[in-house]
Amino acid sequence: MCGILAVLGVGDVSLAKRSRIIELSRRLRHRGPDWSGIHSFEDCYLAHQRLAIVDPTSGDQPLYNEDKTVIVTVNGEIYNHEELKAKLKSHKFQTGSDCEVIAHLYEEYGEEFVDMLDGMFSFVLLDTRDKSFIAARDAIGICPLYMGWGLDGSVWFSSEMKALSDDCERFISFPPGHLYSSKTGGLRRWYNPPWFSESIPSAPYDPLLIRESFEKAVLKRLMTDVPFGVLLSGGLDSSLVASVVSRHLAETKVARQWGNKLHTFCIGLKGSPDLKAAKEVADYLGTVHHELHFTVQEGIDALEEVIYHIETYDVTTIRASTPMFLMSRKIKSLGVKMVLSGEGSDEIFGGYLYFHKAPNKKEFHEETCRKIKALHLYDCLRANKATSAWGLEARVPFLDKNFINVAMDLDPECKMIRRDLGRIEKWVLRNAFDDDEKPYLPKHILYRQKEQFSDGVGYSWIDGLKDHANAHVSDSMMTNASFVYPENTPTTKEAYYYRTVFEKFYPKNAARLTVPGGPSVACSTAKAVEWDAAWSKLIDPSGRAALGVHDAAYEEEKAPASVNPILENAFRSPAHGESTLVKTVVPTAAV
């Protein structure tokens, strides 16, 4: 991951202003420690902090067209750049960078080329011929981007809020799948897939199509000229990513450069579910496995730095970001610069445990659509910023554009959790990789219950965070919380504590408005909380808040006895009266 900063139309073109922009760009250097670049044209500045993954020797940015009239600063990876270059035979490329193709596509097709890109990206492009500019963000918002406005009439774009928050009067999180054009002065959505309207699809379930689409998504993300690995927790999503890479690695170009032995990484408190499960999967796949440990106190000590980097006060994001942040530092120290991770599967397939209570396929599908649309505020933000804090790039094959289209075109009836038919959460994905002849994973791993990353690193992690917050936030502070924080008022001491840290780094109202709010149970949207009356009494993003579903659900705050039998019986086998839930509680890789 790189860091970009663009400032266009500044009122002051002095040397001091250029120095200020360079200073602000340095705030992004953790994202790109390999090289720094800046291009200025009249009152416009494009700066870049590079993490060199593809073409490390000649791909420094900003990048240009042949005569340098088009300048672009990019954060991301364009996986189909070779295919796109083949369409641009009249153009001369200066580097081997996958991102250079953006400048030439703009020359050839104008502003309408963005949908041709297959990858994750945020970029700003300046056309000096008419002094117009565009900015765009990838379909789902894997790569972060913020947009701001200065009092002098300038327009700002940055990979992270910290580079523009001090100098902009107002700023927003740039919406994913959108493009901003200075010619029209507004944002427009370039990404318009069929599922975006949330109408109910009807395609029949084709397990082979799911499998083949996902394998293609994984393999295209092995485009790298540097050492890489896979984040492996031992849950379904990360295990499938590792399995597909292991199966095909020897056939790839990257194996010739870095060998055909896959490196996998996992972090957790000693004795946590993640560590045990990940080792089992790693042993099965034969990977070079790196088991990393942290303590609750080490995590608590890192909280302020984590919140500074991930730029949110959302509780579940901070809970999960902290171990990922610590793990990324250790991974980078081993010389690895890129990892594959498992984000997105639960949003696409309804894998969170609260989906057990979806009343019908319409509400199930609409919730998956809402979850995907919000990924840039939660899991994508976490996976990108927690790794980029240490100059590590995370790639997410489940969020491949084509794979999402295939998966979201399915009749949602086949995604519904149906205990009477033996279907647990994400059954359509599990079944697609259930191959008796050439198994991708052992059966008990393939059909293991969903667990959230912040839970699976060790339950005492979340309990420790709550205890820490309770020691620092008084009852009187909570009583006055709505006056101190009228927007997104924290409802727990843990949320209040995170909010105080966030406001220390990002005190402007515009900053707090970039963070979503609303009640959530086990990572649900506020709408899905309505699916079960008992959930309204236990608003917590942990998977353990899914009362009657999670094997390790909170004991002390269960629903009243009159409700429990209903919740319990809903998930018992009609034949034996015993729960069909897998009793091994293990999380997916980065969800």
Side-chain angles (χ1 to χ4, degrees), residues 211 215 242-251 435 438-440:
R211 183 195 296 185
E215 288 192 319
S243 179
V244 171
V245 175
S246 295
R247 182 169 292 213
H248 298 285
L249 183 58
E251 311 156 14
D435 188 331
K438 290 184 66 179
Y440 284 79

Side-chain angles (χ1 to χ4, degrees), residues 352-360 363 367 370 519-522 524-540 543-550 553 557-571:
Y352 293 107
L353 295 184
Y354 73 88
F355 275 94
H356 282 254
K357 298 301 183 73
N360 53 59
E363 292 212 32
E367 176 71 358
R370 289 191 293 266
S520 174
V521 167
S524 74
T525 66
K527 177 69 176 173
V529 173
E530 301 171 8
W531 291 350
D532 192 306
W535 288 350
S536 64
K537 302 168 186 174
L538 185 57
I539 300 301
D540 190 286
R544 289 182 289 165
L547 299 181
V549 179
H550 196 296
E557 298 179 272
K558 280 188 176 178
S562 60
V563 178
N564 279 345
I566 300 172
L567 297 177
E568 183 178 9
N569 291 335
F571 301 103

Side-chain angles (χ1 to χ4, degrees), residues 287-324:
T287 71
V288 178
H289 189 58
H290 305 266
E291 182 175 297
L292 309 172
H293 304 126
F294 78 106
T295 66
V296 171
Q297 189 58 53
E298 285 172 335
I300 289 171
D301 290 342
L303 278 175
E304 290 208 4
E305 197 174 4
V306 168
I307 293 170
Y308 170 76
H309 277 287
I310 65 173
E311 302 177 326
T312 187
Y313 49 83
D314 175 67
V315 170
T316 189
T317 304
I318 294 168
R319 287 175 175 180
S321 292
T322 305
M324 199 171 196

